[in-house]
Amino acid sequence: MDTEQLITFEQVVREGSFSRAARTLNLSQPTMSTRIQALEEEIGGPLFVRGGRKVTLTERGESFLPYARRALEVLHEGREVAQLTQEGQRGRITIGTIESYSTGFLAATIANFHRSHPEVEIFVRTGHSNQIEHMLYDGVVKLGLISWPFLNPDLTEIVRFREPLVFVAPPGHPLTQQQTVTAEDIHLLARPLLIVHHSFILHDILARIYPHPERTMELPAQTACELLRQGVGAAFIARTVIARDLAAGHVVELQVRDIPASYLECALVRLARNQLAHTATNAFVTTLADQAGTMCIHPARNEK
């Protein structure tokens, strides 16, 4: 059974005539007969009642017709989806990311990408860098947003980002009484200091400021943001994660005189053995790099 046989069968039913169906399909009468006979042999009996001016279906033909039409509809939909996928308008993007990276520019990227590619499915999984590597190996995700630098030789860097960490506190917090603060000010007044998971790059400095763990809270980025909105604590946090709260006045950015500027670096990676042949995935990578703007320090490239 093939598509041409199903098309011929359905057209004969639609026209009610072998000759009219042959003209519509631009086929010779022998070709029409050959296709219908081959289909009837596979189905196991006649599909049409021969004779009379109008062709009618046998009971076998009537029972087979809805399935033939459904098969043709599915094939048509499949061709459309394949074409849209080739054009980058359909498909599936799977990405694993560290939880603290899932907000900020990644969330903004997904929103922008969805507006231009509404039919593309996007699945995001969160975990630590080593968990994301396992997701890549297991095929759960095709892309990973992990901490940089990474040591795994099986991973290929697609694009890298460098984002500044900022020190923030809620309005009215004692630290906000001055425009610049020192590590000593933070030690005395930022109780508790909210240590966001991605601020590990400040670990040594924070350990000197806060040698006593009971004066700190170690939290995911989203939890830290909510506590700051509630007026609790102060934190070093990635700028894009806290950008909306800064704009809304929920927190105030403070300059720290004696702590060097620090940056969060992450990389979008794939398994080296897997090429990004999917057009939608390449479009997503480009959108991610565009959204990151000046934070992008290793430009994205389309991969064939």
Side-chain angles (χ1 to χ4, degrees):
M1 186 183 305
D2 59 33
T3 305
E4 291 181 343
Q5 292 170 359
L6 294 177
I7 291 173
T8 303
F9 168 70
E10 200 277 334
Q11 193 64 42
V12 172
V13 174
R14 188 183 298 274
E15 300 282 358
S17 165
F18 283 98
S19 58
R20 285 197 296 271
R23 286 195 296 271
T24 300
L25 297 175
N26 195 27
L27 296 174
S28 66
Q29 194 66 43
T31 300
M32 287 282 295
S33 298
T34 299
R35 289 184 181 179
I36 294 300
Q37 288 171 5
L39 183 59
E40 288 178 328
E41 288 178 6
E42 189 159 351
I43 296 300
L47 297 170
F48 296 102
V49 177
R50 269 74 170 180
R53 302 187 64 178
K54 184 175 177 63
V55 174
T56 59
L57 288 168
T58 63
E59 185 176 352
R60 187 190 307 270
E62 288 179 352
S63 64
F64 178 66
L65 177 61
Y67 294 96
R69 284 177 168 165
R70 189 184 308 170
L72 290 172
E73 288 173 1
V74 170
L75 288 170
H76 177 70
E77 291 173 3
R79 282 193 294 269
E80 286 188 339
V81 169
Q83 181 62 37
L84 290 171
T85 300
Q86 181 64 30
E87 296 170 357
Q89 295 302 316
R90 289 290 293 268
R92 185 180 191 189
I93 295 169
T94 54
I95 180 169
T97 177
I98 293 176
E99 187 273 340
S100 57
Y101 300 166
S102 63
T103 55
F105 73 92
L106 178 59
T109 296
I110 292 172
N112 288 339
F113 186 80
H114 177 70
R115 293 186 190 102
S116 58
H117 299 74
E119 298 300 319
V120 176
E121 297 177 295
I122 300 177
F123 293 85
V124 179
R125 302 288 185 268
T126 59
H128 299 299
S129 286
N130 60 340
Q131 292 173 321
I132 294 168
E133 290 182 18
H134 286 299
M135 293 181 199
L136 288 164
Y137 283 124
D138 294 340
V140 176
V141 299
K142 297 297 184 184
L143 299 173
L145 192 59
I146 63 174
S147 298
W148 187 92
F150 56 88
L151 301 177
N152 190 335
D154 291 339
L155 301 182
T156 292
E157 178 182 309
I158 303 170
V159 59
R160 193 188 333 150
F161 308 99
R162 187 171 186 259
E163 178 176 9
L165 294 180
V166 294
F167 184 67
V168 297
H173 190 284
L175 285 168
T176 63
Q177 302 307 307
Q178 46 193 335
Q179 290 185 336
T180 61
V181 297
T182 64
E184 181 65 19
D185 294 329
I186 296 172
H187 173 68
L188 293 173
L189 300 174
R191 298 188 180 186
L193 178 67
L194 309 181
I195 300 178
V196 181
H197 289 167
H198 62 224
S199 62
F200 63 88
I201 54 177
L202 291 170
H203 180 271
D204 292 341
I205 295 173
L206 295 178
R208 289 199 300 272
I209 297 174
Y210 276 90
H212 306 293
E214 67 272 11
R215 297 178 181 178
T216 65
M217 292 185 187
E218 187 171 342
L219 304 162
Q222 291 178 336
T223 306
C225 288
E226 184 57 35
L227 286 176
L228 290 166
R229 294 184 200 111
Q230 298 297 324
V232 177
F236 289 94
I237 194 166
R239 182 180 294 280
T240 60
V241 172
I242 202 68
R244 286 190 177 182
D245 291 295
L246 281 168
H250 297 152
V251 293
V252 177
E253 180 180 352
L254 301 171
Q255 301 300 318
V256 184
R257 288 198 298 269
D258 52 355
I259 295 180
S262 298
Y263 298 87
L264 175 68
E265 292 197 49
C266 59
L268 186 70
V269 300
R270 62 170 174 82
L271 284 180
R273 65 173 182 253
N274 294 340
Q275 295 295 318
L276 296 185
H278 199 304
T279 306
T281 302
N282 275 318
F284 180 82
V285 170
T286 300
T287 303
L288 183 65
D290 290 343
Q291 184 66 44
T294 57
M295 294 190 307
C296 179
I297 59 176
H298 180 181
R301 60 187 184 276
N302 285 340
E303 301 191 16
K304 303 298 183 184

